[in-house]
């Protein structure tokens, strides 16, 4: 299990390693800042989807140990979101706070992306065993926010693309599938309680 965990951890770091080598080797194309912003945004959303897939895969395969990866995957989503935001603040906007505040208030796709990032913070903080114990049933309720965050991430992506909506559409379809699975499970649970 330990070796499997280290493999997943290393694999999750590959996108950032690719970006660092690309930056150092000047291989990120004509606009490296744009590439960095796009790739980190893409990986944030991808890790959110992977994290949301853990429970369905567990239920469908009976592979219970997979749950041990969920925290790590969720924290990687947070890591890529922070990187994405830092690149936006430091490289794209060069800490021009007036422009940043204007973006946040006047560009809806930035507002919704920022809202998603803010909502990820309490989830990252409370992802430890201590917090799970402390919050009890409230922990699960709080962590359902991940669906709202993923939806906000998809809307953010959808709003920012100018022509080709293929990629945000694929993310939207994956998210709808994951939510449908979740709702179906909830229905089965409710029916079992009513019996
Ligand atoms: C959970 C939070 C977030 C997610 C899931 C996310 C996801 C994404 C995705 C998928 C892209 C497009 C990548 C591509 O083109 O392949 C993107 C681009 C971008 N994001 Fe985010 N993002 C998040 C938060 C933020 C925040 C907090 C900001 C800034 C305040 C931000 C600013 C941007 C900008 C400026 C772009 C590039 C827009 C352009 O092409 O002109 N994002 N993001």
């Amino acid at each position: 299990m330990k070796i499997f965990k280290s493999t997943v951890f290393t694999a999750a770091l590959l996108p950032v390693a690719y970006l660092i080598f690309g930056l150092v080797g000047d291989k990120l194309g004509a606009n490296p800042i744009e590439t960095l912003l796009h790739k980190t945004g893409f990986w944030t959303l991808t890790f959110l989807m992977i994290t949301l897939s853990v429970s369905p895969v567990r239920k469908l395969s009976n592979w219970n140990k997979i749950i041990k990866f969920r925290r790590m995957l969720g924290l990687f989503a947070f890591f890529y979101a922070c990187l994405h935001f830092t690149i936006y603040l430091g490289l794209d906007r060069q800490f021009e706070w007036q422009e940043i505040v204007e973006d946040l208030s006047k560009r809806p796709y930035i507002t919704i992306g920022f809202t998603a990032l803010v909502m990820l913070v309490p989830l990252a903080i409370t992802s430890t065993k201590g917090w799970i114990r402390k919050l009890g049933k409230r922990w699960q309720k709080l962590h359902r926010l991940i669906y709202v965050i993923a939806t906000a991430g998809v809307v953010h992506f959808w709003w920012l693309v100018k022509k080709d909506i293929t990629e945000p559409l694929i993310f939207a379809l994956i998210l709808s599938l994951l939510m449908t699975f979740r709702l179906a499970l909830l229905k089965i649970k409710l029916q079992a309680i009513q019996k």
Side-chain angles (χ1 to χ4, degrees), residues 45 108-109 112-113 149-161 168 175:
L45 206 46
Y109 83 86
I112 201 160
I149 294 166
T151 307
V154 171
V155 174
H156 167 73
F157 193 3
W158 199 296
W159 279 350
L160 71 87
V161 292
L175 184 60

Side-chain angles (χ1 to χ4, degrees), residues 136-176:
K137 282 217 161 141
R138 281 174 302 163
W139 188 89
Q140 267 186 341
K141 272 191 191 157
L142 174 68
H143 280 252
R144 274 187 211 133
L145 256 188
I146 188 98
Y147 286 95
V148 182
I149 294 166
T151 307
V154 171
V155 174
H156 167 73
F157 193 3
W158 199 296
W159 279 350
L160 71 87
V161 292
K162 272 125 206 151
K163 275 187 232 139
D164 187 3
I165 56 149
T166 314
E167 277 193 58
L169 181 65
I170 293 171
F171 278 113
L173 288 175
I174 296 171
L175 184 60
S176 313

Side-chain angles (χ1 to χ4, degrees), residues 37-39 41-42 44-45 48 81 84-85 88 92 104 109-110 113-114 116-117 120 149 153 156-157 160 162 167:
L37 204 51
H38 283 232
K39 297 278 182 216
F42 172 86
T44 305
L45 206 46
L48 281 172
H84 183 60
F85 186 48
Y88 163 80
D92 194 39
L104 279 168
Y109 83 86
I110 299 272
F114 185 70
L117 177 69
L120 266 175
I149 294 166
H156 167 73
F157 193 3
L160 71 87
K162 272 125 206 151
E167 277 193 58

